[in-house]
Amino acid sequence: MALSLTNLVKAWLWKGLELAYNQFVGQIPGGLMNYTSLVLLELSNNQFSGSVSDSIGQLSKLETLLLSSNHLNGGIPKSLSRIETLSRFASNQNLFSGNIPSGISKYLRNLDLSYNNLTGSIPSDFLSPPNLQHVDLTYNSLEGPIPSNISQSLIRLRLGSNFLEGTIPSLTDGKLSQLTYLELDNNRLTGSVPQQLGTFQRLALLNLAQNELSGPLPKELGNLHQLQVMKLQSNRLTGEIPQQYSQLWKLSILNISRNSLNSSIPSAISRLGNLTILDLRDNRIDGSIPDSIGNLNSLMELQLGNNKLSGKIPFMPGKLQIALNLSRNLFDGPIPDTLKGLTALEVLDLSHNKLTGKIPYFLAGLQSLTLLLLSNNLLWGTPPNFPQPGIVVDTNGTKVLNSITTISGSDQTPTSPKKISESALVFYISFALSFSLRIWAVIAPLLFNRNWRRRYYRFLNIYFHICLAKLFEIQIRMMITVRTKFCLRRQNFS
């Protein structure tokens, strides 16, 4: 449906035009730029294409411009920097390209240019305007350093999934006392994690994952008493987990996986009563799991795989639901019967350890299990009959009769060795075929079409964040929105 201006009311009466969530196609009509009384222009979630005319700068009274989720391309109009009344501009999820125009953020409070094809470096004055509160540049192709001159009013800064380089600005003297949401993940940032981040007392989400950061974890992060999500995975961090992190009372997600941490797990971690996800896998953590781990009554996922942990498996939190991964460590002794309380657990991975004894029958009581991995241990016996259908049990590399078994239900009858091998062969063949098809489904759009590649990554990113962050990041965003509305109302009345 093309946007027609013939049936619209006279221009001098217009204050706002809201046309979101329709099926408008084609270019944004140039005639709209003559409606200079517009305060609000909302064209998001349509199918507009082509470039945005630089004459949009004629809308000198415009306060809010929303162009998100269209097919717009070309450059971001430079003339927007001349609109002194413009406080919110969102053009995320389009195909805009080129550099970020200098001065575009001069009068803005909220700016969202995420999920585009923007290139070049971030202008040095881009983050400095005194009124700037929310900036989102995620999923572009920006490079160069992060500007060090940052507005003291900033609440949310999202620069993830670009090609940014250099170090994280130190930002001393408590300049960013309002900062609540900091996302710099999936870039090429180097150097250490600045200890000055510990002065941002309102910080609720810190995401520095998937960079090239090195050095120890700064103990000063333990001062962030409002922090709910900390993601530092996939870096080159070394040393120990500071005891001070046990003071992060509100922390819900702690992910420091895929680094080179080489100390033991501090027993004081049990003080994190709100922790739901703890991910320390793929490090060099040694020693035993502290017995106090069982006191984490809110924990739903525990990932400790591929470390150097040893000793016996201690009592685990009863609310574990998503996964318990202790694989590729040095645990010994039998599988403890204290695990029988994990009735909501879906994945249990004890593979590649030194566990001994007979596979306990109490595992059949874990009726939520879908995957049980016991391979490469010193276990023996037969897997118990699970009542739930479709559970996969892997005991390869043990003395257990069935190396890989898919259990169809409680009425399962014993199978002969010949049928077992045939079943395993079918499993491996079907897995290989499905894996190959899925890999090809991923590679094909990446090879043949850049737009497909962009849209595919957009989908993966959205799905990834929904699955991992769950309701916690939504909670943080709601908190920020409420605070922003309160500040705006207070400013309006002042």
Side-chain angles (χ1 to χ4, degrees), residues 384-494:
N385 289 329
F386 289 86
Q388 64 269 34
I391 179 174
V392 175
V393 180
D394 183 1
T395 57
N396 188 37
T398 68
K399 297 180 181 179
V400 176
L401 178 62
N402 297 357
S403 60
I404 295 183
T405 306
T406 302
I407 297 177
S408 59
S410 58
D411 58 346
Q412 181 191 16
T413 57
T415 55
S416 65
K418 181 178 180 180
K419 290 184 178 180
I420 293 171
S421 61
E422 290 175 352
S423 175
L425 181 61
V426 170
F427 174 84
Y428 282 124
I429 292 175
S430 61
F431 180 83
L433 288 174
S434 63
F435 181 79
S436 300
L437 289 173
R438 290 177 183 179
I439 288 295
W440 176 246
V442 173
I443 292 177
L446 301 183
L447 289 177
F448 298 136
N449 191 294
R450 182 178 181 181
N451 289 334
W452 292 359
R453 182 166 65 247
R454 284 277 177 182
R455 294 181 182 278
Y456 188 79
Y457 283 146
R458 290 174 188 175
F459 167 77
L460 285 182
N461 180 65
I462 294 171
Y463 184 79
F464 176 80
H465 281 285
I466 289 175
C467 290
L468 289 186
K470 294 184 173 62
L471 297 178
F472 304 110
E473 295 187 21
I474 296 176
Q475 177 186 2
I476 295 171
R477 291 188 177 99
M478 291 176 64
M479 177 184 65
I480 295 172
T481 302
V482 171
R483 181 181 299 166
T484 303
K485 289 182 178 179
F486 175 77
C487 293
L488 289 175
R489 289 178 181 175
R490 185 171 60 182
Q491 291 171 0
N492 290 335
F493 285 107
S494 59

Side-chain angles (χ1 to χ4, degrees), residues 15-271:
K15 294 296 183 183
L17 179 59
E18 300 183 54
L19 299 174
Y21 293 96
N22 285 287
Q23 298 180 12
F24 293 121
V25 298
Q27 289 191 324
I28 297 175
L32 278 178
M33 311 312 167
N34 298 323
Y35 292 77
T36 55
S37 297
L38 276 176
V39 174
L40 166 66
L41 180 56
E42 160 71 290
L43 303 178
S44 60
N45 291 278
N46 283 285
Q47 300 179 37
F48 287 115
S49 57
S51 60
V52 180
S53 172
D54 204 52
S55 61
I56 197 170
Q58 299 172 190
L59 304 179
S60 58
K61 297 181 180 180
L62 199 61
E63 297 178 2
T64 301
L65 176 60
L66 305 178
L67 306 177
S68 308
S69 300
N70 282 286
H71 307 295
L72 299 169
N73 56 33
I76 302 292
K78 298 179 181 179
S79 60
L80 291 176
S81 62
R82 300 198 300 265
I83 306 178
E84 297 183 9
T85 57
L86 190 63
S87 63
R88 183 184 178 192
F89 173 42
S91 63
N92 51 298
Q93 298 188 45
N94 278 287
L95 301 171
F96 286 110
S97 58
N99 296 340
I100 298 175
S102 179
I104 192 174
S105 58
K106 186 187 305 182
Y107 305 109
L108 291 174
R109 288 183 180 173
N110 302 302
L111 175 61
D112 190 349
L113 302 178
S114 61
Y115 293 96
N116 280 288
N117 300 324
L118 299 174
T119 56
S121 60
I122 301 175
S124 59
D125 60 347
F126 180 78
L127 299 175
S128 62
N131 295 324
L132 196 60
Q133 295 179 343
H134 302 270
V135 175
D136 192 344
L137 300 179
T138 54
Y139 272 86
N140 281 283
S141 298
L142 299 169
E143 56 189 14
I146 298 174
S148 58
N149 191 6
I150 299 180
S151 170
Q152 298 184 28
S153 302
L154 205 62
I155 296 174
R156 179 184 300 183
L157 178 59
R158 305 186 70 206
L159 304 178
S161 299
N162 282 284
F163 303 111
L164 299 175
E165 301 171 333
T167 59
I168 300 174
S170 295
L171 307 171
T172 57
D173 301 327
K175 286 184 177 181
L176 301 183
S177 59
Q178 305 297 317
L179 192 64
T180 306
Y181 191 112
L182 179 60
E183 181 179 19
L184 306 178
D185 65 302
N186 195 18
N187 280 289
R188 299 171 178 174
L189 300 174
T190 56
S192 60
V193 178
Q195 62 184 22
Q196 290 83 0
L197 291 178
T199 64
F200 304 159
Q201 292 299 311
R202 293 192 179 183
L203 200 61
L205 190 150
L206 175 63
N207 188 353
L208 307 179
Q210 293 177 274
N211 279 287
E212 300 173 16
L213 300 172
S214 58
L217 293 168
K219 62 182 180 180
E220 288 79 7
L221 296 184
N223 297 326
L224 301 175
H225 299 307
Q226 301 300 319
L227 196 64
Q228 297 184 38
V229 177
M230 183 193 292
K231 296 183 178 181
L232 304 175
Q233 70 268 23
S234 300
N235 280 286
R236 301 173 183 175
L237 302 172
T238 57
E240 62 181 12
I241 301 173
Q243 293 280 346
Q244 288 81 355
Y245 288 10
S246 63
Q247 302 171 10
L248 302 174
W249 319 118
K250 295 186 178 182
L251 199 63
S252 296
I253 298 176
L254 177 59
N255 191 340
I256 323 178
S257 63
R258 299 183 177 91
N259 281 284
S260 298
L261 303 179
N262 53 13
S263 65
S264 59
I265 301 174
S267 59
I269 202 170
S270 61
R271 299 175 186 171

Side-chain angles (χ1 to χ4, degrees), residues 319-335:
K319 288 189 178 180
L320 281 175
Q321 178 178 339
I322 301 172
L324 172 58
N325 177 12
L326 304 179
S327 65
R328 297 184 183 276
N329 280 286
L330 303 171
F331 295 111
D332 56 24
I335 298 176

